[in-house]
Amino acid sequence: NCLQNGDWDAAVGWQWGAKERCDPTDPKCGVNGKIRDLKGSPVPPTLAAKITHTVQMQIKIGRGDEEGTLRFGLYGDSCPQSVGQLVQFLSPQGLLTSPLASYSYDSFSSLTQPVTLANSYGLGGVTEIIPDKCVSLGVTSQGAAFARANGLNAPGPGFVAQPKPACPSIEKESSVRAHDHAGLISIPNKGIGYGGGDNKSDDEAFSNAFSITTTANAEKLSPLNSSRKVIGQVLDEESMAFLGRVAQLPTNKGFKGIIPGQDSGPPLIKTTVTKVTIAVVVDNNEKEKNEEETTMTIDNSDVTAATTTT
């Protein structure tokens, strides 16, 4: 009731008192400006789903030395196409969504490049935090990543972003489990690239590529069950504790901050993915993928570039 009470500072998101607040760069500083417990939610149970791939992701918070690890597993046997698409997006080789896109490893002749979280030149990381629900990760701008990769100030008029894929085989795959625990890896039903809806531009289509739930409140998570599917989970307590730290970062609400209850947005402190390691689980043992093994085979026979409305 900030607007009704005339509390203008709180209405625009400045509800932290000056001397009373904790330092936002302190790992124990919560979104409300108070020191919090960093224990983290329990690791979600594995149920009967087999984990076929593990992903270890190094994430840096801010410009200092704070860095943590998220380690999660993917259910490749239960939803092979969805997992394959995410693995390609996470790999250094990246994801090519259009078979018609021209791409060359010669940076001087490339007009496009695969979209990848592993080599995103500082543009890949946590892109949205929805308090008490989930955090999303992705690449904020394909064009900006292309420009940085090629030493340019801007991508230029000839650059073509990877379009949102239309892949019926991914749409047919069901969620392995309900959104009912913290630490579940979730993607849109249509696949990554649709986290911001159908009308998001291709350049920003992969900004919310996948999400990780941050609460075990099934009622808060239930709306996700109709539009998203779970394809993996966080694997250890250390990762869950770091996920809790990320989920409590203050958000850049912008003009939404004047509307009561609108507290989601990108993290106020830049949170960047610095390294991604993918391993294949073979006979319950992890084998790190090499350059040739990193990209899984996806059935591209039904993949077409989705039409984008801008």
Side-chain angles (χ1 to χ4, degrees):
N1 298 323
C2 301
L3 293 176
Q4 295 177 4
N5 298 332
D7 188 356
W8 306 113
D9 286 349
V12 296
W14 299 327
Q15 65 242 55
W16 290 9
K19 295 182 179 179
E20 292 77 15
R21 71 176 187 179
C22 55
D23 182 354
T25 62
D26 185 341
K28 294 185 178 181
C29 185
V31 70
N32 61 352
K34 306 296 182 182
I35 296 294
R36 65 183 183 85
D37 182 10
L38 280 179
K39 184 177 180 181
S41 300
V43 178
T46 56
L47 301 181
K50 181 182 178 181
I51 292 174
T52 59
H53 298 76
T54 61
V55 179
Q56 184 165 300
M57 188 177 296
Q58 296 293 122
I59 298 178
K60 183 177 181 180
I61 299 176
R63 299 181 179 180
D65 297 328
E66 185 181 0
E67 192 169 26
T69 301
L70 283 179
R71 183 169 174 268
F72 55 89
L74 300 173
Y75 310 137
D77 284 354
S78 302
C79 42
Q81 298 301 312
S82 299
V83 167
Q85 187 186 60
L86 181 58
V87 167
Q88 285 191 355
F89 173 73
L90 295 174
S91 72
Q93 288 81 5
L95 177 66
L96 281 169
T97 61
S98 172
L100 302 178
S102 60
Y103 173 70
S104 167
Y105 281 95
D106 177 3
S107 61
F108 295 101
S109 61
S110 300
L111 292 178
T112 187
Q113 67 182 14
V115 56
T116 167
L117 190 63
N119 293 330
S120 53
Y121 297 88
L123 294 164
V126 177
T127 54
E128 185 179 29
I129 298 173
I130 304 179
D132 298 320
K133 193 170 187 179
C134 64
V135 299
S136 296
L137 296 93
V139 177
T140 54
S141 169
Q142 294 186 61
F146 175 84
R148 290 188 183 183
N150 292 280
L152 305 172
N153 293 324
F159 173 75
V160 179
Q162 294 299 318
K164 296 185 287 290
C167 189
S169 63
I170 289 180
E171 292 186 56
K172 291 177 182 178
E173 291 182 340
S174 302
S175 182
V176 178
R177 58 195 296 179
H179 295 79
D180 56 4
H181 285 81
L184 298 180
I185 311 302
S186 172
I187 67 169
N189 285 335
K190 290 184 177 182
I192 64 173
Y194 291 89
D198 292 343
N199 294 326
K200 203 163 191 177
S201 69
D202 286 341
D203 183 60
E204 300 176 343
F206 297 90
S207 59
N208 289 10
F210 67 100
S211 300
I212 309 177
T213 57
T214 56
T215 180
N217 188 320
E219 183 178 354
K220 289 185 177 181
L221 294 175
S222 61
L224 300 178
N225 290 325
S226 61
S227 60
R228 305 180 66 87
K229 53 190 168 188
V230 176
I231 65 170
Q233 66 174 83
V234 175
L235 295 175
D236 54 58
E237 293 182 357
E238 181 182 357
S239 296
M240 290 299 297
F242 183 67
L243 175 64
R245 159 61 174 154
V246 172
Q248 287 291 327
L249 287 172
T251 57
N252 185 358
K253 295 181 279 291
F255 288 109
K256 293 191 302 182
I258 65 175
I259 305 174
Q262 297 295 311
D263 52 1
S264 64
L268 195 60
I269 304 171
K270 187 175 182 180
T271 307
T272 310
V273 171
T274 58
K275 183 179 179 180
V276 179
T277 304
I278 305 171
V280 180
V281 179
V282 180
D283 296 329
N284 295 323
N285 294 313
E286 295 180 16
K287 176 184 177 183
E288 186 172 333
K289 285 174 162 292
N290 59 32
E291 287 284 325
E292 290 74 25
E293 295 174 326
T294 302
T295 303
M296 289 182 61
T297 301
I298 297 181
D299 180 7
N300 285 315
S301 60
D302 58 356
V303 177
T304 58
T307 303
T308 304
T309 304
T310 59

